[in-house]
Amino acid sequence: MAAAEAKERQYGSLGPGRFPIYAPSESMTLAPSEFSTGRPSTGEALPQLTRVHGFSAQTRPPVVFLSERRCAFAAGRLVVELDIDHNLQRTLSGHSDLVSCLAHSEEQALGASGQMRRAGAKWAEVLLWDSETLEVRGAFQFHQADIEAIGFVQNGEVLVTIGMDRDRTMALWPSAREGFFRAGRREGAPLAVCSAFKGGGVCGIVASPGGPDVPVHFATFGVQHVKFWQSARVTTAVDGRRGAFGNEGAPKVVVCAAWVARERLVAGGSNGEVFFFEGNKAIRKLVIHPFSIALLLPLKDSLAVVHSHGVCSLLRGGTETAWDLASLMGAPESRMQTPLTAGHGWRGSSLVLSSRTHLLFVDLSHGIRNVQDCKVLLSQPGEPLAAVCAHAVEPRIYTGALDGGVRCYRSGDLQPIEARSFKASCGVTCIAVSSVAPGSEGSAWLALGCADSTLSIMGETNFHYVLRKSLSGRKAKLTCARFSATDASCTHPLWLAIGTDDGCIHTFRFKEPTCRSTVRTGEEIVSKVATLRGHEAAIIDFCFADTLPCLYLISVDASGKQLAFDVPMARRLPTLALVQDVPFTPWTLPTGRQVQGCWHEQRSPEHQRRFFEIPGRQTIVASDCSATSLEMFPYPCTDHLKSKPPRLEGPGSPITSLLFSTFSDNILATSGTVLFSWSWSQSVGSRKQEPDRGGLASPLRQVQGAVVFDTPDGRKRAVAASPIFTPPPRARPRSAAAGSQRLAAKENARGPATQETVACPSCGSVYMADAIFCRRCGKKREDARTPDKTPPRKRASSAVTKVPSPDIERLQPSSPGAARSKITAASPLATPPTSAALSAWASPAAERRPLVGEVPTFGAKPSQAPWTIDAPPPAGLPSRQQKSDAPVAGKIGAPQEGRNVMQVVSEAQRIHEDMEARTRSIQERQQFDSVGLLLSGKAQANVVGVDRLEDRYQESRAGPFQQRAQESNNRYEVEVRLPGGRLVRVTRNPLRRTLSFEGQFVNHQAVGHDGEEVQDEKLLVRVPPGYDLSNPPAEVIRNFAEGRCFVALYRYGQGGRLDPSGAGVTSRDEYEL
């Protein structure tokens, strides 16, 4: 067993081997599944948090300086350190809920962060950490409510924390590594505890300047108050006095404060007031602008006052000098700006300001009057993010937020691309980008869904609107959007599905897979096809089938109901069993057999979980609504794991959208206004590139993972065994002469050993050997010779003896009695003519070099391409009579003028598979369509099929029948009722594992009859595996006259049979119950 596991880890899961297996080369290896051993992977294999874009604007303060060129901000449950010059990040984890406040001590090089109290927890923790290494030094557990404010006093030796309880409890803690407040103190106990302010909230704490030898002195401020605190070093008592604002009274909220000297404080109000205190009394009030004060920064001989609308006023000697931050170079655009809320300064040389949407850095080293520019450190939406999508072949991602902002970022480092960001008319609730083949003309399509039911479709590059339409008269919110797979050859249409809050799915069909025109709009580009119904709750998500043409779609609503639809025919499928073998990649639905093991026994209905499959890693990542984190499961996950799945920590609020970017190989999650990115240290294979569906690749063939092996015959590519890709049998030569001719044809296909590589000027791909046309875009090579287009002459008897093609071989019948030749193809997709053969065909006969195995004759003229010439007949048989060269109508797959052979073969194959798919769809539809029976007039029964119901006992309808089913202990119980009719017969079929209920139903609305008509109805109920249908049932209750019947079946081994697999059941007969 151990040897088998070791071999699987070495070669990968390739299924049964059909050829000799050799050791894989070092150039490309398959990464084993992280859950291949049945247990969660280690921390080394898990993705690491690499980037956090966004911050918690409600944190007090949102940002603090750690040094002159480093700052820290809160994002979810993390504290993120940002290098201002190099834009590098480090994170501090350890909080169990949202970080609510920050503080930093320059003297002790310590930072502190408080959090919200987690649901079910007794305490709200305060973490003390090293600002250089970001290592946690200690944790304080005292407050039984959220932490509202924290601050360092006494040169960082004391940490003050204030809770958000009714009394606003304040606690003082020793924070220095050593010193007076640390000596003799019990670990984990506060120095002093008191009530900060019982009349309202506290916004912050500021420490007065002074050395460690002076008494403790600081101030707190908040709702209609400023309070001054002091304490002697020899006692633990803290004395607090409320500041007096004078006759005009206190402001509504004191939002910021700063010490100018030890006994002089400046406070700013929410309406633009600036108060100057001496001691605990305000001696002066000043109102410069009627906007809230964001920051007060004392300078050497002046005071800088920053207002919320971006105006900075410099007060000096009774004069004011103002300048606008929005006018500085590098400031965010006016349409994206929001009011400033807070800020922090570093020794008067630099300034960092925060709003709901931006973090701005201002350099004051050259003086506050000489400020010329500013730098945007971070940008985020003003409202929570609702959706995220990624471009397939470009390093771009798009996010949509409820404030109407659509922002574009680079997928690697999440740097914003302002030129591609814009504002929508309403809050964006869903967003999607179509896939596009590399090097194709035109751009991808971008679809936006808004909260007011407005859908906008535009080109992703030029933002050219082609459709803007309201999908619901009741203004139902659009919840999700998804594009189908893109066909680069334009043979199959591109589909777009939009889900709404009222349970509808709107489908749109595009006439062009990419946006190539900036003129055509509306029905010329995209048209609405149908509205798919069947859900009673809001649509959560859906998946298109990963096939071309796109035929099926699976959707899930908020109640967990899962339905399948036929997209081209705009109809609902009667059961999900019809699409159980269809590939849906990537899987993003929260329900289904693939993710059954990802759910715990008790499901939380508070928030919807998000799922996203990670192709190539056999992994699916899911959001955990209870802990606001991500969990990683093996895919498919049909059973519960024996141990806890690995977690990706970071977000502090429910995750609203989840995505895996194949281009940058990272996981993206949106939580609140913050975008989190996790990535692996080492990528697997070539997953960053989009699978190539162009050229001669089958549109219905799924892209298979592979491993390259070094064999004695050269490098070979091994593909996993799959029913979707089954290589056809090769045509073997029937004689030694034919075998030598095939070897000679292979030598012709190889051509010379060394060829000069020439790149296509259109798409950049390298031409194959002597190819005339590019295999990706079909563009003709510039230095290629034009083939002779003169009509071919009749074949002469002295023509060159030709060799058969390695791709299409015509074999003469082996027996003399056979009259016609048999054409055998090497594969369903015939390989195009080789480059050497095309070059030989295009060149004149005098210049063409003889092919390997060719017998030269004199006087011969070129007639046809070598890959279309028949093989010589076997000895003793008469030569085949030549066909007439008279012009006939063109056929599918025949070469045409102006088109290369590759395009013709590809088009013929796609037409064949398209017709096959359409035929299959019509056949399946006729199995459940009763229109033919009604038109025929025959008294045939209407058959309705019902799949089993899992883990629930509720009534459902299937045609005129009402049926209920459940698994109870060791029995499977089925109850069927035919309202308004009577049952005739009930049978069981052990081979098909079905119960058949036949009855008669009186139709009072029959057309063409006198009032009523008796119709025969039949219901087929599929029984799940594990229950015995061969032996008599456990219980049968019949009341056929009223149309009722109850059947209970034994589980295998309970009713006298011990064959759970059903082996030995060979009879196709039905037995009456």
Side-chain angles (χ1 to χ4, degrees):
M1 188 67 181
E5 293 181 356
K7 183 179 296 183
E8 181 178 354
R9 287 194 297 269
Q10 181 179 5
Y11 300 118
S13 300
L14 297 176
R18 301 180 180 178
F19 42 81
I21 301 297
Y22 302 96
S25 61
E26 299 180 356
S27 58
M28 179 179 178
T29 57
L30 276 181
S33 173
E34 297 172 358
F35 305 90
S36 57
T37 59
R39 56 182 181 272
S41 60
T42 60
E44 298 178 355
L46 290 178
Q48 302 297 324
L49 183 65
T50 55
R51 194 71 183 178
V52 177
H53 193 86
F55 58 95
S56 300
Q58 66 273 15
T59 306
R60 298 179 178 177
V63 59
V64 294
F65 270 107
L66 300 182
S67 64
E68 185 176 3
R69 313 304 292 183
R70 294 185 303 125
C71 64
F73 59 89
R77 291 178 289 169
L78 304 175
V79 177
V80 184
E81 178 205 36
L82 177 63
D83 190 328
I84 298 176
D85 294 332
H86 304 91
N87 197 23
L88 301 177
Q89 289 185 354
R90 290 192 303 168
T91 57
L92 168 70
S93 59
H95 287 284
S96 58
D97 212 306
L98 283 170
V99 177
S100 58
C101 46
L102 293 174
H104 180 254
S105 171
E106 179 185 355
E107 296 81 6
Q108 301 291 335
L110 291 175
S113 54
Q115 69 170 47
M116 312 284 283
R117 186 174 68 90
R118 182 173 54 88
K122 186 177 181 180
W123 318 101
E125 292 183 341
V126 177
L127 297 184
L128 187 68
W129 37 274
D130 193 327
S131 61
E132 296 295 335
T133 62
L134 294 187
E135 295 180 357
V136 177
R137 297 297 185 185
F140 304 128
Q141 295 181 350
F142 175 77
H143 298 280
Q144 299 183 3
D146 301 339
I147 306 299
E148 190 172 27
I150 58 176
F152 287 95
V153 300
Q154 202 68 13
N155 285 352
E157 295 185 4
V158 177
L159 176 65
V160 181
T161 62
I162 300 177
M164 204 179 293
D165 52 355
R166 183 183 60 182
D167 295 334
R168 294 304 190 273
T169 304
M170 181 174 66
L172 279 68
W173 307 84
S175 58
R177 296 178 174 86
E178 57 185 10
F180 172 79
F181 295 98
R182 175 67 66 177
R185 301 295 178 182
R186 184 168 59 91
E187 194 69 26
L191 299 174
V193 178
C194 63
S195 175
F197 185 67
K198 297 183 179 181
V202 178
C203 296
I205 303 170
V206 288
S208 64
D213 299 332
V214 298
V216 178
H217 191 206
F218 62 95
T220 60
F221 56 90
V223 178
Q224 295 183 348
H225 79 282
V226 172
K227 206 166 184 179
F228 299 90
W229 301 85
Q230 59 183 359
S231 173
R233 296 178 59 87
V234 296
T235 179
T236 59
V238 182
D239 182 23
R241 295 185 179 182
R242 188 171 178 179
F245 288 92
N247 297 331
E248 297 183 4
K252 186 176 181 179
V253 180
V254 179
V255 293
C256 61
W259 289 94
V260 179
R262 184 168 178 83
E263 297 296 334
R264 298 173 60 187
L265 179 73
V266 182
S270 57
N271 293 325
E273 308 97 332
V274 179
F275 296 90
F276 297 88
F277 284 85
E278 285 190 2
N280 60 348
K281 294 182 179 180
I283 60 174
R284 185 181 178 186
K285 175 184 176 182
L286 184 64
V287 178
I288 306 175
H289 298 282
F291 296 94
S292 176
I293 306 298
L295 178 64
L296 295 172
L297 183 63
L299 301 176
K300 184 177 181 179
D301 55 353
S302 59
L303 176 67
V305 182
V306 181
H307 295 79
S308 61
H309 66 306
V311 175
C312 180
S313 301
L314 186 63
L315 305 180
R316 170 188 279 180
T319 61
E320 176 201 355
T321 304
W323 47 275
D324 192 359
L325 289 173
S327 62
L328 298 179
M329 184 180 302
E333 299 182 10
S334 57
R335 59 191 177 96
M336 296 292 185
Q337 292 180 0
T338 53
L340 299 176
T341 57
H344 195 249
W346 178 264
R347 298 180 181 179
S349 61
S350 54
L351 186 68
V352 60
L353 301 172
S354 67
S355 65
R356 288 193 307 165
T357 56
H358 292 88
L359 286 183
L360 303 177
F361 173 77
V362 182
D363 191 357
L364 305 179
S365 58
H366 301 288
I368 193 170
R369 297 185 179 182
N370 300 322
V371 176
Q372 300 294 332
D373 56 0
C374 64
K375 182 180 180 181
V376 178
L377 301 180
L378 283 177
S379 62
Q380 67 175 14
E383 298 293 336
L385 291 168
V388 60
C389 64
H391 200 285
V393 296
E394 297 290 340
R396 293 194 294 268
I397 64 172
Y398 289 89
T399 61
L402 297 181
D403 63 349
V406 178
R407 291 168 173 83
C408 182
Y409 304 93
R410 289 201 301 262
S411 58
D413 53 1
L414 297 184
Q415 290 303 307
I417 306 176
E418 299 294 342
R420 294 185 176 273
S421 302
F422 57 93
K423 275 275 190 178
S425 60
C426 188
V428 178
T429 55
C430 58
I431 186 172
V433 175
S434 65
S435 59
V436 60
S440 62
E441 298 181 0
S443 65
W445 294 106
L446 179 64
L448 301 177
C450 298
D452 60 352
S453 188
T454 301
L455 172 65
S456 301
I457 302 177
M458 67 192 74
E460 188 267 339
T461 301
N462 51 21
F463 297 112
H464 170 62
Y465 280 85
V466 298
L467 180 67
R468 185 178 176 85
K469 183 177 182 180
S470 179
L471 301 183
S472 175
R474 295 178 295 177
K475 301 298 181 182
K477 182 179 66 173
L478 306 185
T479 56
C480 50
R482 192 83 65 191
F483 280 97
S484 66
T486 303
D487 184 9
S489 64
C490 304
T491 304
H492 306 292
L494 175 68
W495 291 88
L496 169 66
I498 303 293
T500 61
D501 205 5
D502 56 358
C504 298
I505 301 177
H506 304 268
T507 58
F508 297 83
R509 180 173 55 199
F510 289 78
K511 296 183 179 180
E512 296 181 358
T514 57
C515 180
R516 303 178 183 178
S517 174
T518 58
V519 178
R520 293 185 295 175
T521 59
E523 296 292 337
E524 298 177 342
I525 298 294
V526 58
S527 60
K528 183 178 179 181
V529 177
T531 300
L532 307 179
R533 304 181 186 274
H535 291 282
E536 293 82 11
I539 305 297
I540 296 178
D541 204 349
F542 42 71
C543 286
F544 275 108
D546 189 22
T547 58
L548 289 177
C550 180
L551 299 178
Y552 303 110
L553 178 143
I554 297 181
S555 59
V556 176
D557 60 14
S559 64
K561 184 177 181 180
Q562 191 173 10
L563 298 177
F565 297 92
D566 187 338
V567 178
M569 303 303 298
R571 68 182 182 93
R572 171 184 169 184
L573 299 181
T575 174
L576 291 172
L578 297 177
V579 295
Q580 62 182 358
D581 296 331
V582 180
F584 290 88
T585 304
W587 185 268
T588 59
L589 303 183
T591 59
R593 181 187 59 84
Q594 297 89 332
V595 296
Q596 184 177 357
C598 302
W599 289 92
H600 304 290
E601 296 182 358
Q602 297 180 355
R603 302 186 180 185
S604 175
E606 299 178 359
H607 304 287
Q608 298 294 341
R609 297 183 66 184
R610 302 293 177 179
F611 288 77
F612 207 96
E613 177 193 355
I614 303 178
R617 295 186 183 272
Q618 297 85 40
T619 307
I620 189 169
V621 60
S623 62
D624 185 1
C625 56
S626 60
T628 63
S629 61
L630 296 181
E631 295 179 338
M632 301 186 68
F633 298 90
Y635 183 82
C637 183
T638 57
D639 299 326
H640 296 288
L641 299 180
K642 298 180 180 179
S643 58
K644 292 184 178 180
R647 286 178 175 267
L648 304 181
E649 304 289 347
S653 56
I655 295 174
T656 55
S657 60
L658 193 60
L659 177 71
F660 174 73
S661 175
T662 57
F663 186 90
S664 56
D665 194 29
N666 59 348
I667 301 174
L668 300 172
T670 59
S671 174
T673 59
V674 185
L675 179 63
F676 297 87
S677 174
W678 294 267
S679 63
W680 282 267
S681 58
Q682 183 177 2
S683 301
V684 175
S686 57
R687 189 169 35 253
K688 291 187 178 182
Q689 297 180 359
E690 180 73 2
D692 188 9
R693 295 179 181 266
L696 298 179
S698 171
L700 291 179
R701 182 176 301 167
Q702 186 181 8
V703 179
Q704 302 290 318
V707 177
V708 178
F709 292 92
D710 290 331
T711 67
D713 296 334
R715 296 169 59 85
K716 293 187 177 181
R717 181 173 178 266
V719 183
S722 173
I724 300 177
F725 175 71
T726 304
R730 287 188 174 183
R732 297 183 177 180
R734 303 199 179 176
S735 63
S740 61
Q741 290 168 358
R742 291 179 61 84
L743 294 177
K746 290 183 178 180
E747 293 294 333
N748 296 333
R750 292 178 183 176
T754 58
Q755 295 287 343
E756 182 182 359
T757 59
V758 180
C760 177
S762 177
C763 62
S765 62
V766 179
Y767 285 99
M768 296 179 56
D770 299 330
I772 297 178
F773 299 94
C774 178
R775 58 178 177 177
R776 175 175 293 179
C777 63
K779 185 178 179 66
K780 185 177 179 181
R781 187 171 175 177
E782 296 179 355
D783 57 348
R785 301 188 186 96
T786 304
D788 187 9
K789 296 183 180 180
T790 58
R793 302 179 181 179
K794 294 185 178 181
R795 301 175 183 175
S797 59
S798 60
V800 180
T801 302
K802 296 147 187 163
V803 296
S805 167
D807 308 314
I808 301 179
E809 179 186 10
R810 299 182 179 180
L811 300 179
Q812 300 295 336
S814 57
S815 61
R820 301 181 59 182
S821 62
K822 181 179 180 181
I823 301 177
T824 305
S827 64
L829 285 178
T831 308
T834 59
S835 57
L838 281 177
S839 177
W841 176 37
S843 61
E847 300 177 2
R848 183 170 61 89
R849 63 178 177 87
L851 302 177
V852 178
E854 184 180 65
V855 181
T857 58
F858 299 95
K861 297 182 179 180
S863 58
Q864 293 183 351
W867 60 282
T868 60
I869 298 176
D870 297 337
L877 293 179
S879 60
R880 184 177 178 181
Q881 184 179 1
Q882 303 298 331
K883 293 183 178 181
S884 174
D885 291 336
V888 296
K891 300 180 180 179
I892 296 178
Q896 301 177 11
E897 182 178 354
R899 305 184 63 184
N900 56 35
V901 181
M902 297 170 55
Q903 294 178 348
V904 174
V905 177
S906 176
E907 180 180 0
Q909 178 63 21
R910 288 194 176 94
I911 292 175
H912 169 73
E913 296 185 351
D914 189 17
M915 294 176 61
E916 183 182 359
R918 290 177 181 270
T919 305
R920 189 187 314 113
S921 176
I922 294 175
Q923 182 182 5
E924 293 175 356
R925 185 171 67 255
Q926 289 178 348
Q927 295 177 358
F928 303 95
D929 196 355
S930 60
V931 177
L933 299 177
L934 295 177
L935 295 179
S936 62
K938 299 179 181 180
Q940 299 181 3
N942 297 330
V943 182
V944 181
V946 176
D947 203 354
R948 66 187 181 95
L949 298 176
E950 297 182 359
D951 301 332
R952 53 181 179 176
Y953 189 70
Q954 62 182 7
E955 183 175 313
S956 62
R957 297 188 63 89
F961 291 92
Q962 294 180 355
Q963 65 95 20
R964 292 184 292 183
Q966 74 168 353
E967 297 178 358
S968 176
N969 295 329
N970 294 324
R971 305 197 314 176
Y972 187 75
E973 301 175 353
V974 180
E975 182 181 357
V976 175
R977 179 173 177 264
L978 181 61
R982 66 185 184 90
L983 295 178
V984 178
R985 189 175 65 158
V986 180
T987 59
R988 51 188 170 90
N989 193 322
L991 181 63
R992 297 182 180 271
R993 304 201 56 79
T994 58
L995 293 175
S996 301
F997 298 85
E998 300 180 11
Q1000 293 181 351
F1001 176 73
V1002 180
N1003 186 3
H1004 298 280
Q1005 301 178 356
V1007 180
H1009 298 272
D1010 297 335
E1012 62 182 21
E1013 178 188 3
V1014 178
Q1015 295 183 358
D1016 294 334
E1017 302 289 343
K1018 185 176 181 181
L1019 174 68
L1020 298 179
V1021 178
R1022 187 179 300 276
V1023 178
Y1027 294 95
D1028 191 2
L1029 281 170
S1030 300
N1031 294 325
E1035 182 182 0
V1036 179
I1037 302 177
R1038 289 181 280 248
N1039 193 349
F1040 285 4
E1042 297 182 2
R1044 297 176 179 269
C1045 183
F1046 173 83
V1047 180
L1049 302 175
Y1050 281 117
R1051 188 181 292 274
Y1052 281 108
Q1054 303 295 330
R1057 178 164 178 161
L1058 301 176
D1059 188 9
S1061 62
V1065 180
T1066 59
S1067 175
R1068 296 180 178 268
D1069 299 333
E1070 294 185 350
Y1071 304 94
E1072 293 191 5
L1073 297 179

